[in-house]
Amino acid sequence: ANLIFIASLLLGTTITISSNHWITAWMGLEINTLAILPLISKSHHPRAIEAATKYFLTQAAASALVLFSSMTNAWCTGQWDITQLTHPTSCLILTSAVAMKLGLVPFHFWFPEVLQGSPLTTGLLLSTLMKLPPITLLYMTSPSLNPTLLTTLAIFSTALGGWMGLNQTQIRKILAFSSISHLGWMAIIIIYNPKLTLLNFYLYTMMTAAVFLTLNTIKVLK
């Protein structure tokens, strides 16, 4: 069963990052969300179920916003191509939707909670693989995004990620805030140099994988 879920995760990610049409991108995001839910709630612990529910509600809302922004854009410009997102309102809605999917401030509340309720290996997937499709969407639409909104979200994420991380005692929550902070840096670079953001993301993925797998090996329970 785990193999099916992981295959679906990879499939969803691949569909989103290789699509040109908004509907296929949305479809990939939905497959991803549905595939990771069983992995979060695997232990059947009330906390894990709560984490899965929080994750599902946030991602469903964000996916609906992605669909809404692309429909608004198609309504006004007749374009369903991801790179042709030119309508200002659509850009604002999309930026908010992706921020919600990634867990940028002020949409970050779900992420530490979900990570705290998940097993370490699922936490690793949530922090790395699940961030790739939204970042790819930002990468593809970066020329038309609203710089003011993105910069504001990024600065707040970087600051709050750092500050709140100092305030935690649980390892997974510290990692969650570290992730929020890193995503803040990625969001601020993407307007000026999208390729650098991807490089930053790859490095972040390697570091996070190293931390999570180490913690998993020494069986850290917090």
Side-chain angles (χ1 to χ4, degrees):
N2 271 4
L3 190 63
I4 298 171
F5 299 136
I6 289 166
S8 303
L9 271 182
L10 293 171
L11 175 74
T13 305
T14 314
I15 288 176
T16 301
I17 64 181
S18 59
S19 59
N20 290 321
H21 197 286
W22 275 112
I23 296 287
T24 44
W26 170 81
M27 197 169 70
L29 291 171
E30 287 296 316
I31 292 173
N32 254 0
T33 302
L34 293 175
I36 197 135
L37 287 175
L39 295 175
I40 298 174
S41 55
K42 198 163 56 177
S43 64
H44 298 298
H45 190 273
R47 191 143 196 192
I49 307 294
E50 184 192 349
T53 311
K54 282 179 180 169
Y55 184 78
F56 173 72
L57 292 173
T58 320
Q59 297 298 319
S63 290
L65 280 178
V66 167
L67 207 52
F68 180 57
S69 79
S70 54
M71 281 169 69
T72 313
N73 189 60
W75 182 272
C76 298
T77 64
Q79 276 289 349
W80 277 103
D81 197 307
I82 292 185
T83 50
Q84 302 293 317
L85 190 79
T86 48
H87 194 253
T89 314
S90 299
C91 292
L92 284 174
I93 300 170
L94 182 86
T95 310
S96 311
V98 173
M100 202 166 172
K101 277 206 161 293
L102 287 171
L104 288 175
V105 175
F107 310 106
H108 66 288
F109 299 105
W110 63 273
F111 190 54
E113 301 289 326
V114 169
L115 213 61
Q116 189 57 38
S118 312
L120 277 169
T121 38
T122 309
L124 172 58
L125 286 174
L126 280 170
S127 310
T128 55
L129 190 66
M130 301 304 283
K131 305 281 185 205
L132 183 58
I135 281 186
T136 315
L137 288 180
L138 277 187
Y139 177 81
M140 290 193 276
T141 53
S142 58
S144 49
L145 292 174
N146 182 325
T148 320
L149 176 63
L150 211 52
T151 308
T152 312
L153 292 175
I155 289 171
F156 278 121
S157 298
T158 315
L160 199 126
W163 278 326
M164 296 287 282
L166 294 173
N167 205 15
Q168 301 301 325
T169 52
Q170 289 147 319
I171 282 181
R172 270 175 285 190
K173 281 201 173 154
I174 296 173
L175 287 167
F177 284 111
S178 139
S179 177
I180 291 168
S181 178
H182 277 289
L183 287 165
W185 288 116
M186 288 180 226
I188 207 163
I189 308 165
I190 205 156
I191 319 161
Y192 309 105
N193 192 339
K195 284 202 164 62
L196 199 57
T197 294
L198 287 187
L199 176 67
N200 189 340
F201 180 73
Y202 299 145
L203 290 171
Y204 156 76
T205 302
M206 288 198 302
M207 291 188 326
T208 309
V211 173
F212 270 99
L213 294 171
T214 308
L215 294 175
N216 198 33
T217 310
I218 59 174
K219 301 227 177 336
V220 168
L221 295 172
K222 278 197 100 169

